[in-house]
Amino acid sequence: MPRPILATIHPAAVQHNLERARRAAPDARLWAVVKANAYGHGIERVFEALRSADGIALLDLAEAQRVRQLGWRGPILLLEGVFEPRDLELCSRLSLWHVVHCEQQIDWLAAHKTQVPQRVFLKMNSGMNRLGFTPGRYRSAWARLNALPQVDEISFMTHFSDADSARGIAHQLQAFEQATQDLPGERCIANSAAILRHGGAAEVRLDWVRAGIVLYGSAPDHPERTAAAWDLQPAMTLASRLIAVQQLQAGDSVGYGSRFMADGPLRIGVVACGYADGYPRHADTGTPVLVGGVRTRTVGRVSMDMITVDLTPVPDAGPGAEVTLWGRAGNGALLPIDEVAQAAGTVGYELMCALAPRVPVTMD
Ligand SMILES: *Cc1c(COP(=O)(O)O)cnc(C)c1O
C-alpha cells in the first residue's frame, strides 16, 4: 500500500470561484492566472473548470505551450513578457500576447521578423517597483511601441502592492490614470485582492482583470476576511491518515527538539505528512488540523515525513483515521489553507505552490 497522503483537486470549486470573481467584476474580461502550474493545482487538472475565462495568464513559455496543447484557442498572456529574443518566435507561432516592461523587450521586438504584428500589454511601475516603466517614461515607451510594425494593439497594465491591505490602491491608481488617460487602448490592473476589495469601483474593473488566488479558494486578505466570507471554496484538499498513536504522560515530550511537553496525560496521533510533502515546517504547536473531520491542533515540530496531533477531541481516532491538513474533510468540515499558512507565518499561495512532487494528486 502506498503511503496514505493524497492531494485532491476540486474543479467544481475552481469553477465556482471563477464565477465568484466574475460577479465582483461583471463587465470586465477575466484572465485566469495559472502561473506556477496553476498555483500548484496542475494546469491540466483545472483547465476544464477555467474554460469560461476570457484568457489564460501565466509566466512560463512551456506552460503556455501546455495550454495550447489542451486546445485553448483564446488569448494567452505572458505576465513577465519574453525573456530572450527568440521567445518572440514562439509568441508568433502560438499567438501569445505578452507584457512589455522594459526597453530591452522593445529592442527585441524592433529586431523581430514577423508577418503578424503582436498584441502587447505595456506595464507601468506605478509604485510596486518590480517590473514596468515609471509613469515618467511610460508615454515614450508607448510611442516607441506604437511606431513598430511588429506591434499590433497596445494595452495598459499595472500591478498593485497593497490591494489586500489598508494602504490600498488609490496612490497607484492615480499615477496610472494620469499617465494613460488620453492613450487609446484596453486597461488591465486588478489582481484578486483588487477584484474582491475594490471591484466596486468602475476604474478598477476596467477592461480586463487578473484573477489568481481567488480561483483557488484562498482569501487574499486573510485573516481580515476569510475565504468563506468571500464565498470562495477550497480548490485543494491535502489529506492523510494516522499511522500511529502514542499515549503521553505529564513531562513527556514530542519530536525533534522536544518542542512540546505534555502537562498531563495526552493521546497523540502521528500523521503521514511532513515538510517533504509541502507541509510548512514553521507551523508551530497549535496549528489547526482535522482528524476524522474534527478540529484539533498539531503538537511539536513538523518533521520531514510526519507531524503529531492532539487527539483529545477525537478519543476514538486510531491508526487509519482520516486527517485533513487543509481543504475539505470527508464529513464536509472545512479547514482553510489560509489558517494553516497563518500559523506558519506565510500565505495560502505559498502552501499551494509548495505541494511536493511526491504527493499523489487526484481530482474529484
Ligand atoms: C500572479 C499575478 C496576478 C494574480 O495575483 P493574485 O493575487 O493571485 O490574484 C496578477 N497579476 C500579475 C502581474 C501576477 O503576476
Side-chain angles (χ1 to χ4, degrees), residues 31 33-35 39 57-59 77 79-80 99 123 130-131 157-160 188-195 209-216 220 349:
W31 290 110
V33 181
V34 302
K35 64 191 179 187
Y39 291 45
L58 40 69
L59 308 178
L77 178 63
L79 288 166
E80 295 182 350
V99 165
K123 178 124 184 217
R130 293 190 315 190
L131 302 182
M157 172 171 158
T158 196
H159 193 59
F160 296 127
C188 174
I189 62 177
N191 60 358
S192 294
I195 295 168
V209 295
R210 305 188 298 274
I213 194 72
V214 67
L215 300 176
Y216 308 102
Y349 297 78

Side-chain angles (χ1 to χ4, degrees), residues 183-241:
L183 296 179
E186 295 184 338
R187 272 98 172 129
C188 174
I189 62 177
N191 60 358
S192 294
I195 295 168
L196 291 177
R197 291 169 64 97
H198 306 283
E203 68 270 31
V204 173
R205 298 200 294 272
L206 297 173
D207 304 297
W208 291 87
V209 295
R210 305 188 298 274
I213 194 72
V214 67
L215 300 176
Y216 308 102
S218 160
D221 53 357
H222 182 92
E224 188 184 326
R225 265 191 96 167
T226 62
W230 284 121
D231 184 25
L232 300 175
Q233 299 176 1
M236 179 193 290
T237 292
L238 181 61
S240 189
R241 296 192 180 278

Side-chain angles (χ1 to χ4, degrees), residues 103-123:
E103 293 288 349
Q104 193 177 35
Q105 288 176 327
I106 304 181
D107 297 340
W108 294 341
L109 264 169
H112 180 55
K113 292 186 179 37
T114 178
Q115 315 294 317
V116 191
Q118 300 189 348
R119 170 95 182 246
V120 297
F121 278 61
L122 181 60
K123 178 124 184 217

Side-chain angles (χ1 to χ4, degrees), residues 283-302:
D284 219 337
T285 291
T287 300
V289 58
L290 308 180
V291 177
V294 176
R295 195 176 169 104
T296 180
R297 60 175 183 146
T298 66
V299 291
R301 192 171 270 170
V302 173

